[in-house]
Amino acid sequence: MNSRKIIVEILDNVIKKGAYSNIEINKRFKNSNINDKDRGLITEVVYGTLKNKKTIDIILGSFVSDVKDIDEKVVNILRSAIYQIKYLDRIPSYAVVNESVNLAKIRAKSLSSFVNGVLRNYLRNLDKDYKKGLTDMESLEYYFSFNSWMIKLFLKQYGKENGIKILKGLNETPYITVRTNILKTTREELLNSLLVEGYDVEKGYISDSAIMIKKGSSIEKNSLYTKGMFTVQDESAMLVSECLNLRYNDIVLDICSAPGTKGTHVGEILNNTGKVLAFDIHTHKLKLIEDNAKRLGIFNIEVKLGDASKFNRQYLNSADKILLDVPCSGLGIIRKKPEIKWTKTLKDLKDIEKTQRVILENAWRYLKRGGEMIYSTCTLNKDENEEIINWFLRKHEDCEVEKINLCKKDNILYNTNGTVTILPNKYMDGFFIARLRKK
């Protein structure tokens, strides 16, 4: 099967129809007999094209009157081709052009000469300075490949130094990280086992449970994974459960749980004591939590169907601890889901805040006096993070922030209200964590 045809079809679904890149790629791999080499190419070109779409469109704009006017049948052929020519050095440019033209002949024969003309024009202008004549903001758009509204948001909320650090970090290629299952092994034992199996691994950046997989075959097909020795999880997300001050026999509510990665971490830390009630609004996702728990050997998790935005009186004042990883705009995980750059709007950010406030209010009522709650997001929008917490503190005199002390790293920001923001880098996603205590 033509890998470039698959690349363009995935890009069409993600950019035009709002599909998720990781789900689209996995769907194609599951339903097609694609070899490892082609899988690698498809993954790299899809993520690379999405990550650099703004830069690529500015380049395309030098050869057409308006990128928006390019026929949708061929626009992603052009984008993916320019990505390969500009960013990949192992594929000869003439081969990229020839395959792109052949694909255009299949999709829209009358436009194949147009595709050929644009790409050959680009090859004649590889040394051109495409930033020439751009404003300062347009230059930032070109260099980091973000829309201007998102650049302005980060610079306004974090200042120039940290704002640029965020833009750079969100463009890093992420390592795969795994969390050691302390019920079955230690990090040292797991490190050694992975080394024996041919993986290039090293200890995580902050978490004592984390291992970075720098090189190796598909980690979720590994027998150690099947035996429940580890869970694939970003290191920032590992810190959420670790910040919850868990004690054996705690009753913990994981309010927005699926697929259960953080909830199973709670179960591991509790050493199968107490109880973790894992809620999700989607019935089909509850099985994901159960399957994860079973694989890891966790028996203190009970899954429940529940809408976090609807208060359930049954759980009033019932929890010692609450893990509240709320739905958010996801601006901190653009490293892994680059389409967020193009699918999110300022309106989306404002709309999600309303949901977050409702969920936080409900969850607070489930917490016992003296209990603790973690409020976390995988976004870097302060209005969903510190400002939500400040709003909640003003409204609830029985709430106080317990300061979180992680470590001294240049991507860890300790906010004035006692919360923590993790800036993205090559090791970690962007994240926000607040620990709240009910007096």
Side-chain angles (χ1 to χ4, degrees), residues 321-357:
K321 306 284 167 59
I322 289 180
L323 196 162
L324 185 61
D325 189 56
V326 293
C328 69
S329 59
L331 302 188
I333 57 171
I334 286 173
R335 295 188 316 153
K336 292 171 182 162
K337 296 182 179 178
E339 65 271 15
I340 289 172
K341 288 183 178 185
W342 323 119
T343 58
K344 292 295 178 185
T345 66
L346 276 170
K347 183 179 183 301
D348 293 331
L349 271 59
K350 296 304 294 183
D351 289 345
I352 198 69
E353 286 174 43
K354 301 170 188 174
T355 303
Q356 290 163 344
R357 293 185 183 205

Side-chain angles (χ1 to χ4, degrees), residues 185-223:
T185 188
T186 66
R187 181 165 70 171
E188 292 298 330
E189 290 173 346
L190 182 57
L191 264 170
N192 291 332
S193 297
L194 288 167
L195 284 169
V196 168
E197 299 214 5
Y199 290 89
D200 180 5
V201 295
E202 64 180 58
K203 291 180 180 178
Y205 192 59
I206 294 177
S207 172
D208 291 336
S209 299
I211 295 175
M212 282 186 286
I213 312 293
K214 303 183 80 173
K215 197 173 183 182
S217 57
S218 179
I219 196 69
E220 290 186 350
K221 292 181 179 178
N222 185 280
S223 62

Side-chain angles (χ1 to χ4, degrees), residues 77 96-106 112 115-116 119:
I77 294 177
V96 174
V97 174
N98 288 342
E99 292 206 26
S100 298
V101 172
N102 289 336
L103 183 55
K105 287 177 180 177
I106 296 171
S112 60
V115 170
N116 184 60
L119 293 180

Side-chain angles (χ1 to χ4, degrees), residues 17 28 88 171 193 211 239 318 328-329 356 372 397 416:
K17 300 178 182 177
R28 290 302 183 125
L88 301 184
N171 280 333
S193 297
I211 295 175
L239 299 175
S318 64
C328 69
S329 59
Q356 290 163 344
E372 293 179 3
E397 293 182 357
T416 55

